[in-house]
Amino acid sequence: MRSLMHRRAFYGIGLALAALAWLLLWLWSQSPYGRYLDHGDWTQIGIAGAICAALPFGETLLPAALYVLGWVLMLGAMMLPTVLPILDVYARLVRRRPDRLALIGLVICGYLAAWLLFGAAAHLADLGLAALVRRSDWLTFNGWALGAAVIAGAGAFQFSDLKRRCLERCRMPMSFVIEHWQGRRDHLNAARLGWRHGLFCVGCCWALMLLMFVIGTGNLGWMLLLGGVMAVEKNFAWGRRISTPLGLGLLGWSAALIAVNLWGLG
C-alpha cells in the first residue's frame, strides 16, 4: 500500500513539473519575447538587446542561452510525461540509497543531454536552411516546399524499422534499467543510463520533433498535440496502433500541401 502511494506521489510530482513547464512556456509566449520562441533574433528588443550590447560576445551567448532555456522548457513540457515510467522504475531500484536524489538527477541530466545535442543539431540545420532560402529566389517564394518535405519525412519515418526498434526499447523500462544499471561507478552509470535512454527517445521521436520547426516552436497547441502523441506511442502497448494512421496522415498532409501550392502556382 505504501509503495503504491509512493508511486502515485512520484507520478503526481512528475506531471506537476510538466504542467509547470507548460505554464512557463505559456507565460513566455504571452510576453514581449513570445515570438522569439520561434528562434528569432533575441538581440533586437528590450532587456535582452541591452544585455547583448553590454556583454562581450553578448549577441552570440545570450541568444544561445535563451534558446537552450526555451528548448529545455519544451522538453520538460513535452517529454517528461513520456519518461516517467523509466524514472519510476529507477527510483524504486535506488529508493533505499542515501544518494538516490542525486542518482535520479543524473539520469535526468543524461537524458536531457541527448535531447540538447539533437536540439543543437536541429537548430544549426534550421539556420542552414534559412541561409539557403535567402540565397534562392525560388525557395524564398516557395518555402512551403521545405515544410512539405519535413512533413513527408516525418510520415515516412513512422514506417521505418529504426522507429519500431527504438519504440520497443522505450516501452520496456524495467528491462532497460536492468540492462544498463550495472557496474561500480554508480553516478557515471546513472548519467549513462539517462543518456542511452535519451538516444533511444531521440531515435523514435526526432522526426516528430522536427515538425516543431515547420509549425513553429512557439505554438503551444501543436506542442501539446505532439507531446500527447509521443507519450501514447512510448508508454502504452496500444500506442503502436497509431503509428500507421499517423504516418499516413502526415504523408497525406504533405501531399495536400504540395497539391494546394502547385495548383495555386498553376
Side-chain angles (χ1 to χ4, degrees), residues 5 7 17 34 51 55 65 76 101 125 132 138 144 151 164 177 196 198 204 208 212 216 247 249 254 261:
M5 293 177 61
R7 292 190 66 188
L17 290 174
I51 294 174
L55 292 177
L101 294 180
L132 179 63
W138 189 87
W144 59 266
I151 295 168
R164 180 188 60 79
V177 171
R196 289 175 176 171
C204 65
L208 291 177
M212 294 303 304
S254 178
N261 282 277

Side-chain angles (χ1 to χ4, degrees), residues 58-216:
E59 292 188 1
T60 301
L61 295 180
L62 184 60
L66 291 170
Y67 168 74
V68 170
L69 175 60
W71 186 251
V72 170
L73 283 176
M74 286 176 57
L75 291 177
M78 299 177 67
M79 304 309 298
L80 181 57
T82 75
V83 297
L84 285 178
I86 197 169
L87 290 177
D88 174 42
V89 170
Y90 186 75
R92 284 185 283 138
L93 185 65
V94 300
R95 67 183 181 277
R96 299 187 185 278
R97 296 183 54 129
D99 58 347
R100 60 187 179 278
L101 294 180
L103 290 172
I104 295 172
L106 286 169
V107 173
I108 295 173
C109 288
Y111 179 83
L112 288 176
W115 272 108
L116 285 173
L117 181 63
F118 168 79
H123 186 55
L124 291 175
D126 190 43
L127 292 176
L129 285 176
L132 179 63
V133 169
R134 287 194 294 269
R135 291 183 175 89
S136 170
D137 291 337
W138 189 87
L139 285 176
T140 299
F141 294 99
N142 297 278
W144 59 266
L146 293 175
V150 172
I151 295 168
F157 186 69
Q158 289 296 114
F159 302 96
S160 70
D161 187 58
L162 176 60
K163 169 89 175 187
R164 180 188 60 79
R165 287 188 285 113
C166 288
L167 273 177
E168 289 302 322
R169 298 300 301 275
C170 290
R171 290 177 183 141
M172 299 184 292
M174 179 65 75
S175 61
F176 191 92
V177 171
I178 292 174
E179 178 184 352
H180 293 93
W181 177 243
Q182 52 189 336
R184 297 181 178 179
R185 295 178 294 179
D186 291 345
H187 289 81
L188 177 61
N189 283 329
R192 186 180 299 163
L193 187 154
W195 165 259
R196 289 175 176 171
H197 185 68
L199 290 179
F200 281 108
C201 189
V202 170
C204 65
C205 299
W206 68 271
L208 291 177
M209 287 295 284
L210 284 184
L211 293 178
M212 294 303 304
F213 290 83
V214 175
I215 58 184

Side-chain angles (χ1 to χ4, degrees), residues 1-21:
M1 184 64 179
R2 180 176 297 180
S3 176
L4 179 60
M5 293 177 61
H6 286 169
R7 292 190 66 188
R8 287 178 176 174
F10 179 86
Y11 276 91
I13 292 172
L15 293 175
L17 290 174
L20 177 61

